[in-house]
Amino acid sequence: MSDRLDDLERRIDELRAGVRTAMRARDAATARTLRAELRTAERAWDTLVSGQDDPAPADGSPAETVPDETGRGAGARTRAKGAGRGDGPRLVTVREQVHQALALLDAPAQARLIVAVSQAFFAGSIRSPQLTSLRRDEERSFRASPYGRPYYLCAALTDRLSPARGLLTVSTWPAERRVVGPLSPRVDFLTCALRVARHLGGLPGSLPDGNRLLARMARNIPGAGDDAFGPPDPGRVIEAASRELRVHTGRDTRDRAELAKRATSQLDEAAGLFGAATLSTVAKGRSTRVMRGGR
């Protein structure tokens, strides 16, 4: 499986580069053909990572609608269970579903929360075990072809500059948001609750899965819940989470800025995204940067 993934990732990188070249040359026909091939390769990659059967069965099974970032059907994209090759409905891959959830949360998050957000707001189909292999595949892809993708799903970094267990971030986020200090778990939880509440409060109607998720989060925030039955009040959650955030944010911001500065100065590009496995990795990254600076 590993060799097959490597081959697919190389092919995906080649196709993306080809699409960019064709677009720069204003060759719409070639770009359209390459995009179709790219979608097929991404479907095959997602099938291998998820361990599922062929994502495009020939039995005519119906397509499943995946809401866009609004969490509603309007502007929804289609995830094909029975999509054809190339010109069929577009598959929303595992990594795209994870990216959708992290974009909503806007903070490092555990797999369980990512899965819950994806299922509640985007009709996602991801499972927690898939995220473990996904992070390893993202790192392997980056090391093989750095910055060959618009973004990478990477690990949050601890105060030892090692990957935080189970915490995922996005490579395009600032370094300060991809590191975690002593207060960061609480700050990130409150941030996620705030984002979920704001998203849920902005929807035109009730969303049962979203209400249940917010209710679970509200139980861990003083003053966010109430004794009444029924869906939680997003406004009350926002107020309670914001109040506690004001207590912790200053210290957490300083801690994270210091960690981000260390990571930037001591780690190479790959370790800066995916973490240093050992202290020797930190030392190696530091010496590499010194050598580059001395040239």
Side-chain angles (χ1 to χ4, degrees), residues 26 32 62 64 71 84 172 194 196 233 237 240 250:
R26 300 183 182 276
R32 188 162 49 248
E64 180 178 350
T172 54
L194 242 173
V196 168
D233 178 8
V237 175

Side-chain angles (χ1 to χ4, degrees), residues 250-271:
R251 171 66 183 276
D252 183 62
T253 299
R254 290 191 297 271
D255 290 342
R256 283 179 136 152
E258 181 181 342
L259 284 174
K261 185 177 180 180
R262 283 177 50 206
T264 302
S265 63
Q266 297 179 19
L267 300 179
D268 61 22
E269 291 179 332

Side-chain angles (χ1 to χ4, degrees), residues 53-64 79-85:
D53 295 332
D54 186 355
D59 59 0
S61 56
E64 180 178 350
R79 178 157 54 87
K81 286 185 178 178
R85 303 285 182 180

Side-chain angles (χ1 to χ4, degrees), residues 227-248:
D227 298 328
F229 293 99
D233 178 8
R236 186 168 180 173
V237 175
I238 291 170
E239 181 181 354
S242 299
R243 184 168 55 246
E244 187 176 345
L245 271 173
R246 287 193 291 271
V247 176
H248 303 307

Side-chain angles (χ1 to χ4, degrees), residues 124-156:
S125 60
I126 52 177
R127 302 182 303 275
S128 294
Q130 292 174 297
L131 274 64
T132 302
S133 59
L134 177 62
R135 196 200 67 79
R136 291 196 298 265
D137 294 333
E138 292 284 288
E139 181 174 1
R140 184 165 53 244
S141 174
F142 181 87
R143 292 184 181 278
S145 179
Y147 302 108
R149 296 176 174 178
Y151 65 85
Y152 291 86
L153 303 173
C154 50

Side-chain angles (χ1 to χ4, degrees), residues 59-129:
D59 59 0
S61 56
E64 180 178 350
T65 299
V66 178
D68 62 8
E69 285 72 9
T70 65
R72 290 296 180 187
R77 295 187 291 173
T78 302
R79 178 157 54 87
K81 286 185 178 178
R85 303 285 182 180
D87 57 352
R90 182 174 180 273
L91 180 77
V92 179
T93 64
V94 169
R95 75 188 300 267
E96 288 176 314
Q97 292 180 59
V98 173
H99 186 251
Q100 278 182 328
L102 284 171
L104 188 152
L105 295 171
D106 202 34
Q110 296 275 357
R112 183 185 304 178
L113 179 57
I114 292 171
V115 170
V117 167
S118 178
Q119 292 175 349
F121 295 109
F122 305 111
S125 60
I126 52 177
R127 302 182 303 275
S128 294

Side-chain angles (χ1 to χ4, degrees), residues 150-264:
Y151 65 85
Y152 291 86
L153 303 173
C154 50
L157 304 187
T158 68
D159 57 355
R160 294 175 61 86
L161 304 184
S162 59
R165 184 176 179 84
L167 278 179
L168 284 179
T169 69
V170 183
S171 62
T172 54
W173 290 356
E176 292 80 3
R177 212 187 311 165
R178 292 187 284 104
V179 295
V180 289
L183 294 175
S184 298
R186 184 60 181 173
V187 168
D188 289 340
F189 173 79
L190 293 169
T191 300
C192 290
L194 242 173
R195 297 277 296 185
V196 168
R198 285 174 176 164
H199 188 79
L200 194 59
L203 297 178
S206 178
L207 196 64
D209 288 344
N211 287 331
R212 283 191 288 271
L213 172 61
L214 186 60
R216 291 197 300 270
M217 301 180 85
R219 286 196 289 268
N220 293 299
I221 304 174
D226 52 43
D227 298 328
F229 293 99
D233 178 8
R236 186 168 180 173
V237 175
I238 291 170
E239 181 181 354
S242 299
R243 184 168 55 246
E244 187 176 345
L245 271 173
R246 287 193 291 271
V247 176
H248 303 307
T249 298
R251 171 66 183 276
D252 183 62
T253 299
R254 290 191 297 271
D255 290 342
R256 283 179 136 152
E258 181 181 342
L259 284 174
K261 185 177 180 180
R262 283 177 50 206
T264 302

